[in-house]
Amino acid sequence: MTIPFNNTASSRFLHGFTDLATLEKNGPVVVTQGEGIYVQDTTGKRYLDANSGLWNAVAGFDHPELIETMVAQTRKFPTYHAFFGRVPEPAVALADKLIEVSPFDRGKVYFTNSGSEANDTMVKMLWMLNRARGKPERRKIVTRVNSYHGVTVATASMTGKAYNGHFGLPLPDFLHADCPHYWRYGEAGESEGDFTARMARNLEDLIHREGPDTIAGFFAEPVMGAGGVIPPSKGYFEAIRPILRKYDIPLIADEVICGFGRTGEMWGSDTYRMEPDAIIASKCITAGYFPMGAILLSGPLADDIMDVSRTIEEFPHGFTAGAHPVGCAVALKAIDLIRNGGLLDNVRRVAPQFNAHLARLAKHPNIGEARGIGLMGALELVADKALKTPLPADLQVSERLANEALRNGLIVRPLGASIVLAPPFISRNEDIDAIFQLLESSLDNVLAKV
């Protein structure tokens, strides 16, 4: 069925995270198919998707091996659960593979349907663990301002975004430490090293104020993705890790966006020397071809969870489609393509050119900061470069820029005052050039009007 491209095309569809004024004016882009790094709408127009769908379609939109794997597993065994001691064969193989490629020498894996569910499950694990230890008051979860961890009630409480106030969140016991964004929050005359030291001091002060024996865990993205691609300040994780260890607070790496190659390493944890106690994974785990999330528990943390579960005869938690056989088979193929099929190698090959374009645009008078690593980057728009003054919010410049890019056949993402880029891992150097050529043309057109 062909759906016309107009503002009535999705009158019954409720859009999330969508600027409604734009939607009501232009209507949705109803996407019908994809080829490589391009998608196509119902009018036949093609768009270069410079955001890999939603960070996750790293192998493009029609990868034959992923499709063949999905079809073959569907024919062999299309659905099952992982309750009551039964488990699909691909889930066992995937758990083994994930620990093999993780920073952990041993551990366990728990499967969910999304990153939100994985983070939510990890919170429940920590709460369960501390109650069993006789420390039920140890349940506060610390994340960071501008972080993103999901949309369930718990993970929205973890997410350090103001929009969650519309839901009456965060819930009690969810705390937000400083955002380690040196360009935005560094003080006058403060070096990056001094800024990192202040972030560490402030975190320890927060722990003291709340009470170390009330904190269950600290969750952090290696790079804040939905915060606007914000890498941590230099030495950040090396500075805070000893503090967390001092107070026996687990560090959970939210690798939903960074994991499986986005930063140029298999894990963002490796890129930034996080040394986490657990890893949350999703998105690229299946290259976006199947909904899946996973919790990778380090050996010691896995031992603790198992000990507690034995005392009550089970781990009383689960999702009907967690460890889905088709998803697990696809994930095994996606991980193989990333590690052995050239995808991670290609990230490393084209990332220098991607980041060179970002660095060049940093000289633009209305780009306050161009930041990125691997194949993830952002351009933050400002009115005054020296003072870092944002453009007036009512101008909606990033939204207008994203809409102009869309008209020009390029998909980018507006995030606050920033434009975010996260191209698929299969992108070639000429694709990177095309992305920035279209983006710069769109930028010039929008700024000429404002």
Side-chain angles (χ1 to χ4, degrees):
M1 181 177 68
T2 299
I3 302 174
F5 182 83
N6 58 41
N7 61 4
T8 65
S10 64
S11 60
R12 296 177 184 85
F13 186 88
L14 180 59
H15 293 259
F17 287 111
T18 300
D19 183 83
L20 294 181
T22 298
L23 182 68
E24 289 165 3
K25 178 182 177 182
N26 300 330
V29 176
V30 182
V31 182
T32 61
Q33 61 194 77
E35 181 180 0
I37 64 173
Y38 288 84
V39 295
Q40 182 175 307
D41 70 17
T42 51
T43 72
K45 183 174 179 178
R46 294 208 320 159
Y47 306 85
L48 195 169
D49 192 330
N51 285 111
S52 304
L54 201 58
W55 309 92
N56 55 351
V58 295
F61 299 97
D62 63 343
H63 198 287
E65 292 182 59
L66 290 170
I67 294 169
E68 288 164 11
T69 297
M70 185 181 295
V71 171
Q73 182 60 46
T74 302
R75 286 178 173 149
K76 179 181 180 181
F77 191 40
T79 184
Y80 209 63
H81 61 84
F83 287 26
F84 321 126
R86 296 185 285 278
V87 59
E89 183 181 22
V92 176
L94 180 58
D96 287 344
K97 178 59 66 176
L98 286 170
I99 294 301
E100 176 191 327
V101 303
S102 79
F104 309 136
D105 56 3
R106 64 184 186 89
K108 284 186 177 292
V109 178
Y110 194 86
F111 292 111
T112 67
N113 306 299
S114 68
S116 293
E117 291 176 354
N119 273 315
D120 195 289
T121 299
M122 187 73 245
V123 170
K124 288 180 69 176
M125 285 179 171
L126 293 171
W127 286 350
M128 176 184 171
L129 186 58
N130 283 310
R131 286 184 68 83
R133 289 171 170 171
K135 299 178 180 179
E137 72 284 354
R138 194 160 196 162
R139 58 186 290 117
K140 293 177 183 175
I141 302 296
V142 182
T143 56
R144 298 171 300 172
V145 170
N146 216 23
S147 65
Y148 184 90
H149 299 284
V151 294
T152 65
V153 171
T155 58
S157 295
M158 296 162 67
T159 294
K161 294 283 195 175
Y163 57 68
N164 282 313
H166 295 293
F167 301 101
L169 300 173
L171 296 174
D173 294 335
F174 289 89
L175 312 172
H176 298 110
D178 294 316
C179 174
H181 187 186
Y182 173 59
W183 176 81
R184 174 54 66 190
Y185 299 114
E187 296 176 350
E190 186 177 44
S191 70
E192 189 167 3
D194 289 341
F195 173 81
T196 294
R198 178 162 63 87
M199 294 296 98
R201 288 195 305 272
N202 288 354
L203 176 60
E204 188 160 22
D205 288 345
L206 181 151
I207 292 169
H208 279 299
R209 285 196 309 272
E210 298 295 330
D213 290 335
T214 70
I215 298 176
F218 183 91
F219 287 66
E221 303 159 89
V223 177
M224 287 183 173
V229 186
I230 302 171
S233 57
K234 186 176 181 180
Y236 174 79
F237 286 108
E238 291 95 330
I240 69 166
R241 193 65 178 92
I243 295 169
L244 298 173
R245 285 179 174 151
K246 178 179 177 181
Y247 299 105
D248 194 26
I249 298 171
L251 172 59
I252 314 302
D254 184 339
E255 295 261 15
V256 168
I257 288 173
C258 296
F260 303 101
R262 179 59 72 183
T263 65
E265 299 291 339
M266 191 65 179
W267 302 101
S269 301
D270 295 331
T271 303
Y272 292 103
R273 301 178 183 177
M274 286 180 70
E275 300 178 17
D277 299 290
I279 288 173
I280 306 299
S282 188
K283 293 195 183 291
C284 300
I285 193 172
T286 62
Y289 280 57
F290 200 93
M292 176 174 284
I295 301 166
L296 284 64
L297 299 168
S298 64
L301 193 53
D303 291 344
D304 290 343
I305 295 295
M306 288 300 296
D307 287 344
V308 172
S309 298
R310 289 187 188 99
T311 66
I312 57 174
E313 298 183 354
E314 64 181 4
F315 176 50
H317 179 82
F319 301 94
T320 301
H324 195 285
V326 176
C328 290
V330 171
L332 283 163
K333 175 54 68 174
I335 293 169
D336 182 58
L337 290 171
I338 290 167
R339 295 181 70 226
N340 307 311
L343 268 65
L344 182 54
D345 289 339
N346 193 62
V347 172
R348 293 167 176 162
R349 186 179 305 114
V350 302
Q353 184 163 342
F354 176 78
N355 286 281
H357 277 295
L358 289 173
R360 178 176 52 78
L361 280 175
K363 301 172 184 177
H364 190 285
N366 291 109
I367 302 295
E369 184 184 39
R371 52 185 179 262
I373 188 168
L375 276 185
M376 57 191 308
L379 301 167
E380 184 149 345
L381 298 158
V382 294
D384 188 298
K385 196 177 185 76
L387 298 176
K388 306 178 185 178
T389 308
L391 287 154
D394 60 351
L395 291 178
Q396 292 189 300
V397 174
S398 63
E399 180 71 22
R400 291 169 70 173
L401 176 51
N403 291 333
E404 179 70 15
L406 194 67
R407 282 188 284 271
N408 291 331
L410 175 69
I411 294 175
V412 296
R413 182 178 177 181
L415 271 173
S418 299
I419 287 291
V420 167
L421 302 166
F425 294 178
I426 61 171
S427 301
R428 303 162 300 173
N429 284 321
E430 51 264 41
D431 298 322
I432 300 299
D433 290 341
I435 288 169
F436 283 94
Q437 181 180 4
L438 290 168
L439 181 60
E440 287 182 71
S441 174
S442 303
L443 178 64
D444 291 341
N445 290 342
V446 168
L447 291 177
K449 298 173 184 176
V450 301

